Amino acid sequence: MTGESKKAGSRRQRAGGQMSVRLKRMRGESLKPPIASVAEDGEAAKPQATLDCGWGKLIFAQTFKTNEGVVEALRGERRDRRDIAFYVRDPHVLLSLAPQEIFLDPSHSYRLELPTYRAGSRQPRGYFIRRLSSQSDAEAVNAIYAARKMVQVNPDFFWSSRDSRSITCFVAEDEASGEIIGTVTGIDHGRAFADPERGSSLWCLAVDPQARHPGIGEMLVRRVAEHFKARGAAFLDLSVMHDNEQAISLYEKLGFHRISIFTVKRKNPINEKFFAPQIESYDALNPYARIVVDEARRRGVHVDVLDAEGGFFRLSFGGRSIKCREALSELTSGVAMSICDDKAVTRRVVEKAGLTVPEQIEADSGEKRVAAFVKKHGRVVVKPARGEQGRGVAVGLEKPQDVAAAIAGAREVCDRVLVESCFDGNDLRLVVIDYKLVAAALRRPPQIVGDGRRSIAELIGAQSRRRAAATDGESTIPVDDETARCLAAQGFGLDDVPDEGAEILVRKTANLHTGGSIHDVTDIVHPELVDAACHAARAIGIPVVGIDFMVQAPDRPDYVFIEANERPGLANHEPQPTAERYLDLLFPMSRVRHDEMAAET
């Protein structure tokens, strides 16, 4: 062959190879390089590449010569971790090697072609995105992971990896409060294992369910894409659950497309819900029942759903059977439940036990007495004697006509209506299980942030949709008389368009079901508040209860007792182990068995 013929042949080979690569990428196929291939910087691609990400290892299956090697890598999974084998091309073959140990994850893989990606014009408002840079950032990220039921990471891992060239963790920080409200992790495949395809991937996208700002998830994804595009990466891949329609819609909006790559994981307690037979009517349970059912299944406690819509189920273990309704069980007596059911009775019981309570009268005491009560205290609270989830409650009333209207509204919930003195401060919920504090959280009333374009009614609607999405529909913001009163007190109406950045209180009640948000303060709550809550639980004689105080600050001893909830929402208090302590109370020996099983795993 002549020199010219050799050059022409070489050009045809290169062109054919490039066309093959382009076709494979268009089809969404992964390129399987030979193990000895070389990346652009001259470094040989690492065989059997894995990367510790804190929550578990990311196993790059395309770098393994055999499927047996991938199985062995998955078998090395540590306790309480979730290893992921990604870029699996022949899952049916891989699963046949260890069907009792591994399973095909019900997720889709998506890819963003970075050379053609264009940055969006929209910018974050009210928050900014930066790299994780401190131990407190790491702890805040873990809190978000817990709230989203994701595997947590040792904060020391984040800190030790802060200068890593393979792993980059971004956080979204609220400009006003300084709180971390979102996080995402990016993996540079070139740095991780000298990937000849120059790939990258996105993991652990999570937004704080209490966050007020829209578009946080989109901005985090864009930041990762722009980060890797600037570093010459060819694509950004991710894995998303097949039924996560909201996330899939976001990814497709940003230009991601499906690729034929699969994910395989190990059968462990963390992944059980993805491979174990589903409990009948499980999907119809609300989050407060589901968190208990999930913990029961992890421990080997048998579950029978009795009425999914009402949240009723039966738990059985070691010959013992207990019926529950969410966090309410047969261990709570009818007397204790009756005490909590009537707010006036609850107040009298805890007052006799020595707790500080607000002054209170019944609305049926007569107009003159009610008027004198309002005049004496200046501001009052009107609430039904029986009721839950903040229905019929009006806070901070000063005018007689507002009090009268609130009383009429509360009567729609319960015939007996209470009027009590109002105290400024923060709404604190303390969850007491087996007469010990398990969780403490501030409950903040719903707020909106103006953008200079939308009306208050539109902003409330958008915020309500975000709260509903973050809580499985449990939290929405009603637009009613209480909302109108709260806005009018600040000089606003529903049709007004607030300035950009203006923060407006929508309601004065902080209940989750009326749009409030919950912020964990267990680590800083004052010991005297803990003692008072536990003392109240013993006075009522109730083993599981949510005690509500009005406090100046969670780390100060001053408080006023508000009410006791016999069915506290345990799902609202992650990362605290509310469901774990609840199962400890119901079936003490199940914890021993769970620990033994975990140790074997």
Side-chain angles (χ1 to χ4, degrees):
M1 183 179 289
T2 66
E4 287 300 317
S5 298
K6 288 181 180 179
K7 289 180 181 178
S10 178
R11 284 196 296 269
R12 283 194 296 270
Q13 282 183 330
R14 287 198 301 270
Q18 290 168 357
M19 179 63 71
S20 176
V21 168
R22 284 196 294 271
L23 284 172
K24 285 185 177 182
R25 282 187 175 152
M26 288 174 65
R27 293 170 183 158
E29 299 176 11
S30 177
L31 307 180
K32 183 178 180 181
I35 294 303
S37 62
V38 179
E40 288 186 355
D41 59 5
E43 182 183 356
K46 298 175 183 177
Q48 300 194 169
T50 64
L51 181 66
D52 187 0
C53 299
W55 37 262
K57 287 185 178 179
L58 187 56
I59 299 168
F60 296 95
Q62 79 272 38
T63 68
F64 284 70
K65 289 183 178 180
T66 66
N67 284 317
E68 287 82 358
V70 177
V71 172
E72 286 305 311
L74 284 166
R75 284 173 175 159
E77 180 182 71
R78 290 180 294 140
R79 177 182 174 182
D80 295 330
R81 301 292 90 182
R82 178 185 285 175
D83 290 355
I84 298 175
F86 199 41
Y87 296 104
V88 174
R89 285 169 300 278
D90 301 319
H92 55 297
V93 177
L94 187 63
L95 295 177
S96 70
L97 300 175
Q100 302 302 318
E101 298 178 67
I102 61 177
F103 70 99
L104 181 63
D105 191 51
S107 59
H108 294 321
S109 297
Y110 276 81
R111 172 169 293 180
L112 179 66
E113 304 290 350
L114 293 177
T116 57
Y117 168 74
R118 296 292 177 265
S121 58
R122 180 179 174 185
Q123 296 297 317
R125 292 182 175 179
Y127 63 95
F128 59 91
I129 297 173
R130 59 173 175 80
R131 288 200 185 199
L132 183 147
S133 61
S134 69
Q135 195 79 2
S136 62
D137 285 351
E139 292 168 357
V141 167
N142 255 345
I144 295 176
Y145 285 171
R148 291 299 190 180
K149 297 178 175 60
M150 297 163 63
V151 179
Q152 296 181 61
V153 177
N154 187 326
D156 291 338
F157 176 87
F158 281 122
W159 190 239
S160 64
S161 303
R162 67 189 182 280
D163 296 325
S164 170
R165 303 177 74 186
S166 300
I167 303 175
T168 304
C169 184
F170 292 105
V171 295
E173 179 179 328
D174 188 290
E175 290 180 352
S177 66
E179 295 176 340
I180 301 303
I181 54 178
T183 180
V184 69
T185 298
I187 305 296
D188 186 330
H189 298 180
R191 300 295 185 187
F193 62 95
D195 180 17
E197 294 187 61
R198 296 182 294 112
S200 63
S201 54
L202 179 152
W203 302 92
C204 297
L205 175 66
V207 176
D208 186 344
Q210 315 299 339
R212 302 172 297 158
H213 305 288
I216 298 171
E218 177 181 342
M219 292 298 106
L220 286 166
V221 174
R222 288 190 180 276
R223 181 59 180 272
V224 173
E226 291 160 14
H227 172 79
F228 286 126
K229 179 173 181 176
R231 283 154 181 77
F235 55 83
L236 177 68
D237 290 349
L238 58 84
S239 177
V240 58
M241 293 306 299
H242 72 98
D243 57 356
N244 191 344
E245 296 178 1
Q246 187 177 11
I248 290 173
S249 176
L250 168 62
Y251 298 139
E252 291 180 342
K253 167 189 168 183
L254 295 179
F256 284 82
H257 61 90
R258 281 273 303 275
I259 58 176
S260 300
I261 292 299
F262 302 94
T263 303
V264 171
K265 297 177 182 176
R266 191 164 178 267
K267 291 182 177 179
N268 62 24
I270 296 173
N271 294 324
E272 184 176 11
K273 61 183 177 181
F274 298 123
F275 65 82
Q278 189 66 276
I279 295 175
E280 185 178 356
S281 302
Y282 174 85
D283 290 337
L285 293 171
N286 64 32
Y288 309 114
R290 204 177 298 155
I291 188 175
V292 177
V293 168
D294 288 345
E295 177 62 20
R297 296 188 74 191
R298 278 193 288 271
R299 296 182 181 217
V301 175
H302 183 71
V303 179
D304 288 312
V305 177
L306 304 177
D307 183 85
E309 187 175 349
F312 290 91
F313 51 90
R314 179 172 52 238
L315 304 179
S316 304
F317 182 83
R320 184 182 189 184
S321 180
I322 300 177
K323 291 181 181 177
C324 304
R325 185 185 185 192
E326 301 164 9
L328 178 66
S329 77
E330 293 176 307
L331 273 61
T332 295
S333 71
V335 172
M337 187 170 174
S338 296
I339 292 172
C340 292
D341 182 54
D342 191 318
K343 294 178 174 62
V345 175
T346 313
R347 176 187 172 279
R348 291 196 295 268
V349 168
V350 300
E351 183 181 22
K352 288 180 181 178
L355 273 72
T356 304
V357 299
E359 190 173 344
Q360 184 184 91
I361 63 170
E362 295 206 11
D364 289 337
S365 300
E367 290 185 16
K368 289 184 177 180
R369 189 178 175 194
V370 170
F373 187 88
V374 174
K375 183 177 180 180
K376 175 184 176 181
H377 294 285
R379 298 167 62 249
V380 298
V381 176
V382 171
K383 59 186 179 183
R386 289 186 170 90
E388 58 184 4
Q389 300 179 349
R391 289 192 293 265
V393 178
V395 178
L397 306 177
E398 300 176 359
K399 300 176 182 178
Q401 60 268 31
D402 289 340
V403 174
I407 291 173
R411 287 196 200 282
E412 296 180 5
V413 178
C414 178
D415 291 338
R416 288 178 53 234
V417 176
L418 306 173
V419 182
E420 65 182 30
S421 52
C422 183
F423 291 85
D424 290 326
N426 298 292
D427 191 322
L428 178 68
R429 162 66 62 89
L430 300 107
V431 177
V432 177
I433 298 177
D434 198 15
Y435 305 108
K436 304 178 191 69
L437 180 77
V438 177
L442 285 180
R443 303 192 300 175
R444 296 173 182 165
Q447 289 183 315
I448 56 171
V449 180
D451 59 9
R453 297 180 292 105
R454 290 179 289 180
S455 69
I456 288 178
E458 291 172 321
L459 291 168
I460 290 175
Q463 175 78 339
S464 188
R465 287 190 293 274
R466 288 195 297 274
R467 296 294 299 128
T471 59
D472 287 341
E474 292 297 314
S475 179
T476 55
I477 305 174
V479 178
D480 54 17
D481 290 343
E482 174 64 12
T483 307
R485 273 194 300 269
C486 184
L487 292 172
Q490 302 167 81
F492 292 107
L494 288 168
D495 295 329
D496 291 337
V497 178
D499 295 336
E500 183 175 351
E503 296 188 1
I504 300 171
L505 192 67
V506 176
R507 299 175 70 84
K508 293 184 179 179
T509 54
N511 299 74
L512 176 77
H513 292 85
T514 54
S517 57
I518 296 179
H519 306 265
D520 183 71
V521 293
T522 308
D523 292 340
I524 64 170
V525 67
H526 197 281
E528 290 191 28
L529 300 181
V530 176
D531 289 344
C534 295
H535 199 47
R538 289 196 177 279
I540 298 168
I542 187 166
V544 180
V545 65
I547 301 294
D548 294 341
F549 289 160
M550 190 64 70
V551 301
Q552 291 299 315
D555 56 355
R556 293 172 56 181
D558 310 293
Y559 75 91
V560 173
F561 174 87
I562 302 301
E563 63 182 40
N565 189 317
E566 75 280 1
R567 188 160 48 99
L570 302 184
N572 298 334
H573 296 275
E574 293 177 304
Q576 303 307 327
T578 52
E580 290 93 323
R581 298 295 84 80
Y582 183 56
L583 265 293
D584 289 347
L585 172 70
L586 302 185
F587 304 101
M589 292 305 296
S590 70
R591 182 176 184 179
V592 175
R593 175 175 173 180
H594 176 65
D595 290 345
E596 290 175 349
M597 291 173 62
E600 291 174 3
T601 302

